[in-house]
Amino acid sequence: MSLIRLEHVSKQYRLGEQEVWALRDVSLTVEQGVFLAIAGPSGSGKSTLLNLMGCIDIPSAGRILINGQDTTGRTPDQLAEFRARTISFVFQTFNLFPVLTAEENVEYPLLQFKEVGRRERKQRVATYLKVVELSGFAHHRPDQLSGGQRQRVAIARALATHPKVILADEPTANLDHRTGQAILAVMKQINRTFGTTFVFSTHDKKVIARADRLVRIEDGQIRRLGMRLASTKWVMVRDRPHDPRMTLAARGRLKP
């Protein structure tokens, strides 16, 4: 079963008197377990596509299915509940609460789940701080952490809710080259160890270099899809903008 499926999705915004199409008739299927980069120039629609996948925004046309569930027609409260239990986010600005410690930031999204008791919350926090190698910094506040450490806390927070997919919007943009490489290595290891699906919006070559699937987007349309067959070799297919069968498979084949 596909994890995310977009069917003829378009997104239109109004800027003053002008109608702007951020996305036009995008169809795409993403399978579980991929490490996927959505790449394109500024204004290409990649962030809009990520926001639609994350149920932060809703399409003007078409429909989006996530984990087999159609998100069409849901109220903002219904989308928020669905998002909280299915999707996690990692942002370039980290979005940590400055007054909370690292462990409190990781625990925070779990507080909305009544079925997750205090003991389980503490276990999850300890587990995922260990995964990102920050067990010794659990009681530090964000202003006591480096940029790379803050992003690791954000990754641990994203993992704590046991999401189906983690959406990362330019996660290395505010980090230096070495720190960015280290953060990507952590994410890739999580992907390989836990099978966690990652979808990135990026123009960072470091992210693309680690991805195993690639979506090239320009002017609101998918132009090319790619699958990495070896460590350096990509197989690319050109876009068929009206073909909903375009698939980025997780297990070894690409379906044009």
Side-chain angles (χ1 to χ4, degrees):
M1 183 179 68
S2 61
L3 181 58
I4 301 173
R5 188 163 84 244
L6 288 79
E7 298 178 353
H8 300 289
V9 168
S10 296
K11 182 62 183 179
Q12 186 181 42
Y13 296 100
R14 178 179 289 275
L15 294 177
E17 299 298 319
Q18 186 178 11
E19 298 286 352
V20 177
W21 288 94
L23 291 176
R24 289 180 179 270
D25 198 16
V26 170
S27 292
L28 178 69
T29 300
V30 180
E31 302 295 333
Q32 187 171 354
V34 298
F35 202 75
L36 185 155
I38 302 171
S42 297
S44 61
K46 60 183 185 295
S47 291
T48 299
L49 181 55
L50 199 74
N51 288 340
L52 290 171
M53 288 181 176
C55 300
I56 293 175
D57 207 347
I58 58 174
S60 303
R63 69 174 189 155
I64 301 172
L65 293 91
I66 300 175
N67 198 34
Q69 299 188 50
D70 193 341
T71 62
T72 306
R74 299 196 183 200
T75 67
D77 286 345
Q78 289 171 334
L79 285 174
E81 171 71 13
F82 177 72
R83 186 168 58 240
R85 295 181 177 276
T86 311
I87 304 162
S88 285
F89 299 87
V90 175
F91 302 97
Q92 69 180 66
T93 53
F94 319 133
N95 286 14
L96 301 178
F97 290 104
V99 297
L100 300 183
T101 64
E103 66 177 3
E104 289 168 341
N105 268 285
V106 175
E107 182 184 22
Y108 184 81
L110 297 174
L111 297 175
Q112 63 189 307
F113 300 151
K114 294 180 181 179
E115 71 276 14
V116 180
R118 184 177 185 276
R119 177 177 294 181
E120 184 178 351
R121 291 200 309 270
K122 297 302 182 184
Q123 287 176 342
R124 290 197 195 185
V125 169
T127 295
Y128 293 114
L129 282 176
K130 183 177 181 180
V131 166
V132 298
E133 301 178 350
L134 281 183
S135 296
F137 296 85
H139 301 294
H140 288 59
R141 292 190 305 274
D143 63 359
Q144 298 172 309
L145 300 172
S146 68
Q149 289 171 330
R150 293 179 200 178
Q151 196 61 292
R152 288 172 185 257
V153 174
I155 295 168
R157 178 182 61 188
L159 289 167
T161 59
H162 294 171
K164 297 295 184 182
V165 59
I166 294 178
L167 304 179
D169 188 10
E170 299 283 7
T172 59
N174 287 344
L175 304 175
D176 61 62
H177 179 83
R178 183 176 180 179
T179 304
Q181 288 281 27
I183 289 298
L184 290 172
V186 169
M187 290 178 160
K188 189 67 174 182
Q189 186 59 45
I190 290 167
N191 170 256
R192 289 173 173 170
T193 302
F194 300 105
T196 305
T197 303
F198 282 84
V199 179
F200 297 83
S201 167
T202 188
H203 50 68
D204 187 343
K205 293 181 179 178
K206 298 189 300 294
V207 177
I208 297 170
R210 290 190 180 263
D212 54 35
R213 303 293 185 272
L214 179 63
V215 175
R216 289 280 186 187
I217 187 168
E218 295 178 12
D219 300 324
Q221 294 184 304
I222 294 175
R223 300 301 185 188
R224 304 188 80 189
L225 298 176
M227 183 180 74
R228 192 186 296 278
L229 293 184
S231 59
T232 59
K233 183 178 179 180
W234 287 94
V235 172
M236 307 296 293
V237 295
R238 292 193 177 277
D239 181 23
R240 299 173 192 167
H242 302 293
D243 188 346
R245 297 173 300 165
M246 295 185 69
T247 300
L248 287 171
R251 295 291 179 258
R253 71 183 187 276
L254 184 149
K255 301 177 183 176

